[in-house]
């Protein structure tokens, strides 16, 4: 304890006395830029956030607002250190500039640019140039040297922790999200690789198959019938009749959670209906044969007309297969078709 006190006293005796002149000129402008930049960064990260459609993408998307908050905290801490003439002020200033440079460099390497504004390539390149200019200024400025002499400067473990955390924590969230996504894809790919392809030999009278699931269509006069192969693991069959439109989709997905169902619900909702008043009139779980899942009926009111959308999501745990059945109609709820299809589903 006494040794630490002696070292501290030696430090305060040895450092060059900082100038008492007021912070002005380019240094004052730098602090204003730090404050504005940190605030804008935090606000834009919250406004532009895209939560994605599953848990992995939710976690990765969380990296943006977290980085925005940490970036703002670093900016505020930097301004405080300069105004209070703390020995760590120049380190924080340079670190802020480096973080700005690295974050904009990552945006540049990512290659996805907005047409204008903060995310545009012009703004990113300009920010990179300013970061270099400010770093050189903090390194060469006579005013900075007078107010914060080199012998006066020092850095604490907390300073390093905060600076590293601004990038490390958001990158860790992205890494966790990617790991979950990679693990999920490996599991679904493995299920697809060992999955037995269903053929007509597996069918009973009146059944149909797309190679992954077996089902029966409701008795309707179909006017259109189209099958889309989305990828090697997913296919979609779209049917239309006077009464309504039916979609049957199959693929691989082992996440049979309610959160995942909500993601499917959001993605499958007709974009033309989202702006109209809606009401969920039925919501619950389904359990048929060797599968379980969720079912929801949503009523939309469009110019005094009522439309009903049924959605069922059914999972089969042994095969990691998933089936989505969607039906939109203007008929009365008694004419719903999704449950009749869901009851007939077989996965193996």
């Amino acid at each position: 304890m006494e040794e630490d006190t002696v070292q501290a006293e030696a430090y305060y005796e040895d450092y060059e006395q900082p100038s008492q002149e007021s912070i002005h000129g380019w240094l004052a402008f730098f602090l204003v830029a730090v404050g504005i930049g940190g605030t804008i960064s935090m606000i834009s990260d919250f406004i532009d956030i895209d939560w994605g459609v599953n848990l992995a993408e939710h976690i990765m998307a969380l990296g943006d607002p977290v980085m925005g908050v940490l970036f703002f905290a670093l900016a505020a801490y930097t301004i405080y250190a300069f105004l209070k003439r703390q020995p760590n002020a120049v380190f924080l200033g340079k670190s802020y500039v480096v973080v700005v440079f690295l974050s904009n460099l990552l945006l540049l390497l990512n290659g996805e640019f907005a047409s204008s504004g903060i995310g545009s390539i012009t703004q990113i390149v300009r920010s990179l140039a300013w970061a270099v200019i400010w770093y050189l200024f903090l390194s060469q400025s006579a005013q900075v040297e007078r107010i914060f002499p080199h012998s006066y400067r020092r850095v604490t473990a907390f300073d390093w922790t905060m600076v590293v955390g601004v990038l490390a924590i958001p990158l860790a969230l992205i890494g966790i999200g990617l790991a979950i996504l990679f693990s999920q894809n490996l599991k679904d790919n493995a299920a697809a690789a060992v999955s037995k392809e269903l053929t007509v030999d597996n069918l009973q009278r009146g059944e149909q198959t797309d190679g992954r699931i077996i089902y029966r269509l409701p008795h309707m006069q179909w006017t259109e019938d189209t099958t889309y192969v989305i990828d090697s693991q997913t296919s979609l069959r779209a049917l239309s009749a006077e009464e309504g439109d039916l979609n049957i989709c199959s693929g691989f997905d082992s996440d049979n959670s309610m959160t995942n169902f909500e993601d499917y619900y959001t993605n499958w909702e007709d974009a033309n209906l989202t702006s109209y008043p809606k009401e969920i009139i039925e919501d619950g779980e389904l359990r048929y044969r060797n599968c379980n899942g969720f079912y929801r009926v949503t009523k939309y009111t469009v110019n005094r007309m009522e439309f009903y959308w049924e959605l069922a999501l059914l999972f089969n745990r042994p095969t990691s297969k998933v089936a989505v059945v969607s039906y939109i109609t203007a008929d009365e709820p008694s004419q719903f078709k999704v449950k009749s299809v869901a009851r007939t589903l077989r996965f193996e």
Side-chain angles (χ1 to χ4, degrees):
M1 187 69 179
E2 293 181 359
E3 183 178 349
D4 292 340
T5 303
V6 171
Q7 290 179 349
E9 291 176 351
Y11 166 76
Y12 287 109
E13 289 176 358
D14 293 342
Y15 71 70
E16 183 179 350
Q17 292 296 322
S19 168
Q20 296 303 310
E21 65 183 278
S22 62
I23 294 175
H24 60 280
W26 285 104
L27 183 55
F29 181 59
F30 169 73
L31 296 182
V32 172
V34 168
I36 294 176
T39 303
I40 292 177
S41 176
M42 180 176 65
I43 294 174
S44 64
D45 283 340
F46 274 94
I47 292 177
D48 297 335
I49 188 171
D50 180 4
W51 288 108
V53 297
N54 52 48
L55 177 62
E57 293 181 358
H58 294 341
I59 294 176
M60 288 188 287
L62 190 61
D64 285 336
V66 168
M67 184 173 183
V69 171
L70 293 175
F71 202 73
F72 176 78
L74 178 60
Y77 187 36
T78 299
I79 295 172
Y80 172 83
F82 270 94
L83 295 179
K84 294 296 184 179
R85 301 173 187 266
Q86 298 291 323
N88 59 352
V90 177
F91 168 79
L92 292 174
K94 288 183 176 180
S95 298
Y96 177 89
V97 170
V98 170
V99 170
V100 170
F101 181 87
L102 292 177
S103 60
N104 281 280
L105 185 61
L106 289 174
L107 288 174
L108 188 64
L109 295 176
N110 187 46
E112 296 182 4
F113 312 114
S115 57
S116 61
I118 294 176
S120 67
I121 187 170
T122 302
Q123 180 61 36
I124 292 172
V125 173
R126 186 183 296 119
S127 297
L128 287 170
W130 272 110
V132 173
I133 292 171
W134 283 125
Y135 191 90
L136 293 174
F137 166 76
L138 293 173
S139 301
Q140 304 297 327
S141 170
Q143 181 188 177
V144 173
E145 174 59 26
R146 290 195 303 272
I147 299 177
F148 303 96
H150 276 83
S151 60
Y152 175 70
R153 303 174 192 177
R154 59 191 174 97
V155 183
T156 66
F158 175 79
D159 299 333
W160 278 108
T161 301
M162 186 169 190
V163 171
V164 173
V166 172
L167 288 177
I169 294 176
L171 288 176
L173 290 172
I174 294 174
I176 293 171
L178 288 174
I180 294 174
L181 193 61
F182 182 72
S183 175
Q184 188 72 44
N185 287 338
L186 282 180
K187 186 174 183 179
D188 292 341
N189 289 338
V194 301
S195 176
K196 175 185 176 183
E197 182 177 356
L198 303 174
T199 67
V200 292
D201 296 333
N202 304 108
L203 301 182
Q204 300 174 9
R205 185 174 180 179
E207 291 183 330
Q208 300 185 41
T209 182
D210 62 2
R212 271 178 295 275
I213 60 173
I214 295 174
Y215 56 88
R216 295 177 187 270
L217 290 175
H219 297 293
M220 299 171 67
Q221 190 66 39
W222 302 110
T223 57
E224 293 184 26
D225 185 354
T226 307
T227 299
Y228 303 92
V229 178
I230 300 174
D231 55 44
S232 61
Q233 298 185 29
T234 311
S235 64
L236 170 67
R237 187 177 182 185
L239 303 102
S240 295
E242 291 185 3
E243 297 94 326
D245 296 325
L246 176 70
N247 290 305
I248 301 174
C249 182
S250 68
F252 292 89
D253 190 343
S254 54
D255 181 6
N256 61 345
S257 65
M258 185 63 185
T259 300
N260 198 22
F261 171 72
E262 293 293 349
D263 293 335
Y264 275 86
Y265 179 85
T266 301
N267 290 331
W268 277 73
E269 188 174 21
D270 191 328
N272 296 320
L273 296 176
T274 55
S275 60
Y276 293 98
K278 68 179 181 181
E279 175 189 359
I280 296 176
I281 61 175
E282 188 173 349
D283 201 11
E285 296 186 12
L286 293 179
R287 294 186 181 276
Y288 298 129
R289 298 186 182 181
N290 58 347
C291 64
N292 69 288
F294 305 92
Y295 174 76
R296 179 173 293 173
V297 181
T298 307
K299 180 177 74 173
Y300 299 87
T301 303
V302 182
N303 300 327
R304 298 184 180 180
M305 292 184 60
E306 293 181 346
F307 290 85
Y308 297 88
W309 173 40
E310 289 183 280
L311 180 69
L313 184 66
L314 291 165
F315 300 91
N316 178 251
R317 186 178 293 275
T319 62
S320 292
K321 293 178 182 179
V322 63
V324 185
V325 186
S326 172
Y327 182 65
I328 295 179
T329 181
D331 287 344
E332 293 299 319
S334 60
Q335 301 299 315
F336 290 167
K337 305 297 181 184
V338 165
K339 280 189 177 179
S340 66
V341 176
R343 289 190 186 96
T344 69
L345 280 172
R346 291 197 291 128
F347 293 85
E348 53 187 344

